[in-house]
Amino acid sequence: MIVFARARPCSTGMGLTDRSRERVADELDRLDAEFDAVPVVDKQWVWSREDYAFIVDRFERGTVGGAGIWPVAPDGTVLLVRKDGEAGWAEPSGKQEPGESLEATARRETCEETGVDASITGVALAQRVAIRAEDEPPVHRLIVVFEGRAERVDPEPEPDEIADARWWDRHPEPLLYDDLADLSIPAAD
């Protein structure tokens, strides 16, 4: 008798949590193969049922999460944005569209939010996030901040989404989330 083994369980019949966890693991494997040593931080977020339903819908449409770029200019400054309604500064970023790679998401969002084209040189940070809502199973998502390069040009913040976009030679206060404090700004070194 011949016995066949599988490296991973078949996704047929798996629940939302397992399917989303598997999709995130597959994407991290791909990123590791392409960029080497992807730094991963695990997070858990609790969202409203409405926001959770939106994320489940995006997962079912084939997305894995979202991405942005930590764009460094030749002078070592980094381009950061402050979105409308937010107090903190962060990398230009956004949600992945169905059929789009995370790298394409990061480049598109950076250009849309700032008018600046950036290339990707590596991965600065990957957040593996378990999103929960009351009485709902967790759905796993991946948020990637790519390292990148960009020419230092005057950014043009996207109206009705980006309140401000600036080049920084140090980490501004406040940052949108703490993990950004660990990312390098060469001009500050």
Side-chain angles (χ1 to χ4, degrees), residues 149-170:
R149 289 198 177 106
E151 289 302 313
R152 184 168 174 157
V153 297
D154 289 335
E156 298 176 16
E158 182 177 24
D160 301 324
E161 183 179 353
I162 303 300
D164 200 357
R166 291 189 216 168
W167 294 95
W168 292 88
D169 61 3
R170 61 184 164 36

Side-chain angles (χ1 to χ4, degrees), residues 107-180:
R107 287 189 299 270
R108 174 182 53 78
E109 287 289 344
T110 299
C111 186
E112 286 177 1
E113 292 184 356
T114 68
V116 174
D117 289 318
S119 62
I120 292 174
T121 60
V123 177
L125 172 68
Q127 296 177 317
R128 186 173 34 207
V129 183
I131 299 173
R132 304 172 185 277
E134 187 177 331
D135 298 325
E136 297 292 346
V139 60
H140 295 269
R141 304 299 279 165
L142 184 63
I143 313 299
V144 178
V145 180
F146 290 97
E147 296 169 340
R149 289 198 177 106
E151 289 302 313
R152 184 168 174 157
V153 297
D154 289 335
E156 298 176 16
E158 182 177 24
D160 301 324
E161 183 179 353
I162 303 300
D164 200 357
R166 291 189 216 168
W167 294 95
W168 292 88
D169 61 3
R170 61 184 164 36
H171 289 90
E173 290 290 332
L175 291 170
L176 187 60
Y177 55 101
D178 293 340
D179 294 327
L180 294 178

